[in-house]
Amino acid sequence: MNLSLAAYSLLAWAAQPLLKRKLRRRAKAEPGYAEAVPERFGCYTPRDLGREAAGQWVWVHAVSLGETRAAALLIHELRAAMPGMRLLLTHGTATGRAEGRKLLQPGDIQVWQPWDSRKAVRRFLQQFQPAIGVLMETEIWPNLVQGCQRMGVPLVLANARLNAKSQAGAQRWSSLFEPTYGALRAVWAQTEEDAERLRSVGAPVQAVLGNLKFDVQPDAALLEQGKAWRAVSQRPVVVLASSREGEEAQWMAQWAGRKFHGVAGQCQWLIVPRHPQRFDEVHAQLLEAGLRVARRSQWGDGLPPTDVDVWLGDSLGEMPLYYAAADIGLLGGSFEPLGGQNLIEAAACGCPMVIGPHTFNFAQVSQTACEVGAAFRVLDMEQGVQLATALVRDASSLAAARQAALEFAASHRGTARATAQAIQQLLPYR
């Protein structure tokens, strides 16, 4: 073990009480964080959990909600190729774990990702002895990667991406991260730019396979429900999708500054916060601003009220509904320096997006979407509101943007099958 890994391991061990305290605090807002806490430290109930299939598990780690939805596409292709596959699914967040339950079949197991201490990782690997491990997107943990290498578990990074900021951090701590990336068996990048950055930190990039999220097929029932919402509204619908802290305030500043005039003030606004723990907070902010608000959670299966300023999307798993309900959207995470959110699902639903200046987490997909007319770049929220509300007045331009979004999503599909085939080639059994 090099000195950097030793120091890191000591810090990971020392931070365990802080992790437990953080989990207790998070559980007050999201009870899922109180579930099966010992699993995070490699302690399982019953003690023989998963051992009957030791050496057979296909382990997929999807840290949060977005990664879990991408993993669902890959898991579907893996099951099609290997009907008897035993799935071991791990997560780091409560929303990821809740979404992951939907993917389980009889014989599968779902547990928390082990905390990245040497002891927790060793317990996890000894408990399940996976045949292969598949980390989704960015989930590189030094002790987890090194532990897999020591125990002979091939570990791969699928749908891999690395932004410039993370690349700089990995290069700054190269004595820790170069051996970590180098210990992976294979890396399959989303874009050529991701591949170049990953290679620069020592990752064994084998191919650029694209982004799994292009393979998403939006739920048809949710799409139809969203279209019904749009039809019942007497005003154009504009969604602020997956908004992050500070962005709702930016949007409300436009309202308070009397900049919502003409068609802007005549739009039906739909705000969908990214994180469920913020639903109540955003609702209170909107009310304090003097806006008339209706919460999605309160109208159930019926149609939304049309006599309010804002529909608040306070539900999980319904983004296709929200995108289908909207004529156009503003992309959350891109109006604060947070790196943006992925606009692929919006495109698959035919919803063009207006994006702010901060999309470093999804730089290539955002750039390509703008190039083909499926998205539009602006400098700030004020320009975003102005452009979105101008486009809803221009029927032909809006129709062209909606068609461009659908074609953009359709033209990049096939990553899930290619990734599943690559994983199969590394399995000791097929």
Side-chain angles (χ1 to χ4, degrees), residues 80-108:
M82 300 180 292
M85 184 188 81
R86 301 291 298 273
L87 174 66
L88 170 63
L89 189 58
T90 62
H91 312 277
T93 70
T95 53
R97 186 166 172 130
E99 185 73 10
R101 288 193 188 98
K102 304 173 186 177
L103 308 179
L104 302 179
Q105 294 186 2
D108 294 340

Side-chain angles (χ1 to χ4, degrees), residues 124-375:
F124 170 80
L125 293 173
Q126 289 175 344
Q127 182 84 18
F128 299 105
Q129 300 173 43
I132 194 168
V134 182
L135 307 177
M136 299 297 299
E137 300 197 13
T138 62
E139 282 295 288
I140 297 298
W141 295 91
N143 278 320
L144 190 64
V145 176
Q146 298 292 345
C148 286
Q149 186 181 50
R150 283 193 298 271
M151 291 190 64
V153 177
L155 189 63
V156 302
L157 186 64
N159 212 39
R161 57 185 174 89
L162 186 70
N163 63 42
K165 181 179 179 181
S166 297
Q167 177 192 23
Q171 290 173 332
R172 187 177 305 115
W173 299 100
S174 60
S175 61
L176 176 62
F177 282 102
E178 282 195 10
T180 299
Y181 278 101
L184 295 168
R185 179 67 63 87
V187 174
W188 302 300
Q190 293 186 16
T191 69
E192 290 290 351
E193 289 78 6
D194 289 313
E196 290 177 10
R197 286 190 283 264
L198 286 158
R199 289 190 186 103
S200 76
V201 297
V205 178
Q206 291 194 351
V208 176
L209 297 182
N211 192 325
L212 280 168
K213 293 175 183 176
F214 278 110
D215 285 351
V216 68
Q217 296 290 342
D219 184 277
L222 290 178
L223 292 179
E224 288 304 312
Q225 189 175 4
K227 291 175 184 176
W229 286 13
R230 184 150 41 96
V232 78
S233 174
Q234 301 300 310
R235 296 169 285 171
V237 181
V238 183
V239 61
L240 173 55
S242 296
S243 58
R244 302 283 296 275
E245 189 169 1
E247 291 181 320
E248 301 92 357
Q250 287 189 38
W251 180 86
M252 284 184 281
Q254 302 301 306
W255 190 284
R258 300 183 182 276
K259 293 173 182 175
F260 275 42
H261 56 275
V263 73
Q266 296 165 13
C267 288
Q268 175 63 65
W269 290 90
L270 168 59
I271 296 179
V272 186
R274 171 69 174 173
H275 298 117
Q277 62 268 30
R278 298 187 60 243
F279 289 161
D280 290 341
E281 171 192 337
V282 173
H283 181 236
Q285 289 176 355
L286 293 169
L287 292 179
E288 187 176 352
L291 296 163
R292 298 169 299 166
V293 184
R295 300 182 68 152
R296 163 73 183 108
S297 59
Q298 295 178 352
W299 71 72
D301 294 332
L303 293 172
T306 58
D307 58 347
V308 296
D309 302 306
V310 177
W311 295 336
L312 179 61
D314 60 343
S315 65
L316 295 176
E318 292 192 318
M319 285 309 299
L321 186 159
Y322 295 135
Y323 287 132
D327 292 285
I328 196 167
L330 304 174
L331 183 67
S334 69
F335 293 94
E336 289 283 340
L338 300 168
Q341 303 299 148
N342 202 324
L343 53 73
I344 293 172
E345 187 175 21
C349 298
C351 181
M353 300 299 289
V354 176
I355 59 179
H358 308 290
T359 55
F360 53 81
N361 283 333
F362 305 96
Q364 186 60 51
V365 70
S366 299
Q367 178 182 333
T368 305
C370 289
E371 289 171 355
V372 301

